[in-house]
């Protein structure tokens, strides 16, 4: 199984390829799509690339499963252009399958705060994404804690969060925002939902022939409260919330006990992503820390070279293969 963390700057886009015996094409899973803002890709010196461009340049011709971890601009908005080009067969999310159909168009009110404006855009793009893939014939599925799926041979996926109660709570809060027409009240509810959204993220554990990968979206420490600690253990841990200060602590890192931690922090370490104390803690615990972009890090931490993607390959009975893919598609093994 190959897992690719595309360098979409501040955001996440995770491409999973599972080889299938007797078939030329791998089974493919796309988890989140990064940002769709031009400003995010204005400086490509660290290798940043729009997800759609990366997939096309990599020769991708199909998406079996598209997964949305949660509704924030740096996770959902890059999925919309991808779905137009590569209609997914199935889409998984932590919301009711028909919620998007019962909502009116988002109020056209534009928040003055740029982060609130981005969140309003992400809600619109989420609704448009679901309407699009449904029209394309895509099967939409709700994931909640306790769900266990086998999307292809050799792959098992368990949803550890959100709970059924959290799915229902998020659904009601989204409905409330979409139906609020009073300007001041709309902005208040939009801001509150934006602040709460991270801990409505899907938390997924992928099991591939004895190897485990934990993908918690933007979940921070508080978001793990409903998950038994023994369920968190994994070989690879994509740390939540871009590795910010609230993403993890020593107790969580010891519970996950990964060999590798991947941090999707931007090269400008926006919002305190790739929090230095957390990165240093992981290294002290013997965890190898890798990055989807190139956040500048002081010694003894190592800043990765410019790269378009971080690629991890899991092979049964063999060591994990780790590669940064350079700006020209070359493999930067010397940087590891």
């Amino acid at each position: 199984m190959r897992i690719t963390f595309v360098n979409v700057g501040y955001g996440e886009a995770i491409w999973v390829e599972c080889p299938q015996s007797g078939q030329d094409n791998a089974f493919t899973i796309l988890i989140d799509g990064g940002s769709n803002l031009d400003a995010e890709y204005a400086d490509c010196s660290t290798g940043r690339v729009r997800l759609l461009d990366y997939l096309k340049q990599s020769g991708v011709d199909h998406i079996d499963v598209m997964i949305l971890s949660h509704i924030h601009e740096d996770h959902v908005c890059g999925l919309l252009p991808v779905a137009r080009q590569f209609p997914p067969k199935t889409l998984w999310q932590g919301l009711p399958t028909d919620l998007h159909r019962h909502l009116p168009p988002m109020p056209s009110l534009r928040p003055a705060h740029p982060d609130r404006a981005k969140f309003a855009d992400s809600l619109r793009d989420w609704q448009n994404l679901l309407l699009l893939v449904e029209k394309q014939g895509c099967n939409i599925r709700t994931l909640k804690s306790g769900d266990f799926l086998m999307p292809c041979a050799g792959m098992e996926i368990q949803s550890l969060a959100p709970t059924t109660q959290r799915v229902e709570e998020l659904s009601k809060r989204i409905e409330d925002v979409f139906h609020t027409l009073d300007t001041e009240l709309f902005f208040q509810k939009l801001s509150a939902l934006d602040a709460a959204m991270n801990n409505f993220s899907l938390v997924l554990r992928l099991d591939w022939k004895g190897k485990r990968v934990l993908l918690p979206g933007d979940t921070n420490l508080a978001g793990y409260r409903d998950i038994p600690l023994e369920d968190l253990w994994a070989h690879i841990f994509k740390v939540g919330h871009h590795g910010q200060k609230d993403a993890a602590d020593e107790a969580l890192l010891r519970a996950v006990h990964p060999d590798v931690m991947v941090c999707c922090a931007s090269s400008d370490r926006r919002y305190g992503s790739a929090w230095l104390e957390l990165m240093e803690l992981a290294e002290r615990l013997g965890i190898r820390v890798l990055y989807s972009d190139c956040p500048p890090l002081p010694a003894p931490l190592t800043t990765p070279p410019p790269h378009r993607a971080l690629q991890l390959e899991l092979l049964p009975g063999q060591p994990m293969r780790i590669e940064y893919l350079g700006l020209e598609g070359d493999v930067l093994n010397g940087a590891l």
Side-chain angles (χ1 to χ4, degrees):
M1 178 175 74
R2 183 182 296 125
I3 307 175
T4 303
F5 297 85
V6 181
N7 182 356
V8 291
Y10 189 85
E12 289 183 14
I14 305 169
W15 179 242
V16 182
E17 300 164 276
C18 305
Q20 299 297 287
S21 178
Q23 298 183 29
D24 294 333
N25 288 334
F27 188 92
T28 61
I29 302 173
L30 176 61
I31 306 167
D32 290 339
S35 173
N36 197 35
L37 293 174
D38 291 341
E40 194 64 45
Y41 307 97
D43 181 1
C44 299
S45 60
T46 64
R48 291 188 192 183
V49 58
R50 290 180 184 273
L51 174 62
L52 177 59
D53 293 340
Y54 178 86
L55 295 178
K56 290 166 68 175
Q57 292 161 11
S58 300
V60 169
D61 61 4
H62 74 286
I63 297 173
D64 290 300
V65 179
M66 179 179 283
I67 304 176
L68 171 60
S69 69
H70 67 293
I71 305 174
H72 267 151
E73 197 281 331
D74 56 317
H75 292 256
V76 65
C77 292
L79 289 177
L80 190 54
V82 170
R84 293 191 183 109
Q85 184 81 25
F86 303 110
K89 296 177 183 177
T90 303
L91 185 143
W92 299 348
Q93 61 170 357
L95 282 164
T97 59
D98 61 349
L99 174 62
H100 60 285
R101 275 189 258 122
H102 302 305
L103 297 173
M106 266 280 288
S108 58
L109 303 169
R110 188 72 179 171
H113 193 287
D115 287 343
R116 298 297 90 75
K118 285 198 295 184
F119 183 54
D121 289 340
S122 72
L123 287 169
R124 292 188 186 94
D125 277 7
W126 162 77
Q127 186 181 32
N128 290 332
L129 173 67
L130 271 289
L131 291 170
L132 170 66
V133 298
E134 190 171 54
K135 185 177 181 180
Q136 293 170 334
C138 172
N139 176 50
I140 301 171
R141 175 166 184 166
T142 303
L143 293 191
K144 58 187 182 305
S145 58
D147 285 347
F148 186 86
L149 306 101
M150 300 182 68
C152 63
M155 164 72 77
E156 299 175 354
I157 299 179
Q158 184 173 354
S159 178
L160 304 179
T163 62
T164 300
Q165 291 77 16
R166 294 282 286 167
V167 170
E168 293 172 353
E169 178 188 347
L170 178 57
S171 176
K172 291 176 181 176
R173 292 183 69 168
I174 289 175
E175 286 186 276
D176 197 21
V177 169
F178 271 77
H179 284 96
T180 299
L181 299 179
D182 178 82
T183 301
E184 184 175 350
L185 196 55
F186 171 77
F187 290 154
Q188 289 176 2
K189 291 178 179 179
L190 185 75
S191 180
L193 181 58
D194 183 19
M197 181 59 74
N198 285 337
N199 285 337
F200 286 103
S201 291
L202 288 175
V203 179
L204 302 177
R205 195 185 70 208
L206 282 57
D207 290 71
W208 170 260
K209 298 183 177 181
K211 302 292 186 180
R212 282 186 172 184
V213 183
L214 184 63
L215 303 173
D218 267 357
T219 302
N220 62 33
L221 276 169
Y224 295 95
R225 60 182 179 272
D226 296 320
I227 304 174
L229 289 179
E230 59 268 21
D231 289 346
L232 296 175
W233 174 78
H235 296 89
I236 299 171
F237 176 37
K238 195 288 302 174
V239 66
H241 205 199
H242 310 279
Q244 293 183 31
K245 185 177 182 180
D246 63 353
D249 61 6
E250 183 169 348
L252 177 61
L253 292 181
R254 289 189 180 278
V256 180
H257 194 60
D259 299 317
V260 166
M261 183 174 85
V262 177
C263 179
C264 295
S266 56
S267 56
D268 57 1
R269 296 189 55 234
R270 204 172 315 153
Y271 306 118
S273 55
W275 187 256
L276 294 180
E277 286 83 351
L278 177 56
M279 304 301 107
E280 291 167 349
L281 171 62
E283 295 277 6
R284 286 200 305 272
L285 293 174
I287 302 167
R288 187 174 186 179
V289 184
L290 304 168
Y291 302 89
S292 61
D293 197 355
C294 304
L297 303 165
L301 301 174
T302 303
T303 300
H307 59 276
R308 296 168 68 244
L310 164 67
Q311 200 166 84
L312 310 180
E313 189 166 3
L314 306 179
L315 303 167
Q318 298 183 41
M320 186 187 314
R321 184 180 299 163
I322 303 172
E323 297 174 337
Y324 281 118
L325 304 183
L327 304 189
E328 303 300 324
D330 50 320
V331 177
L332 306 175
N333 285 323
L336 298 174

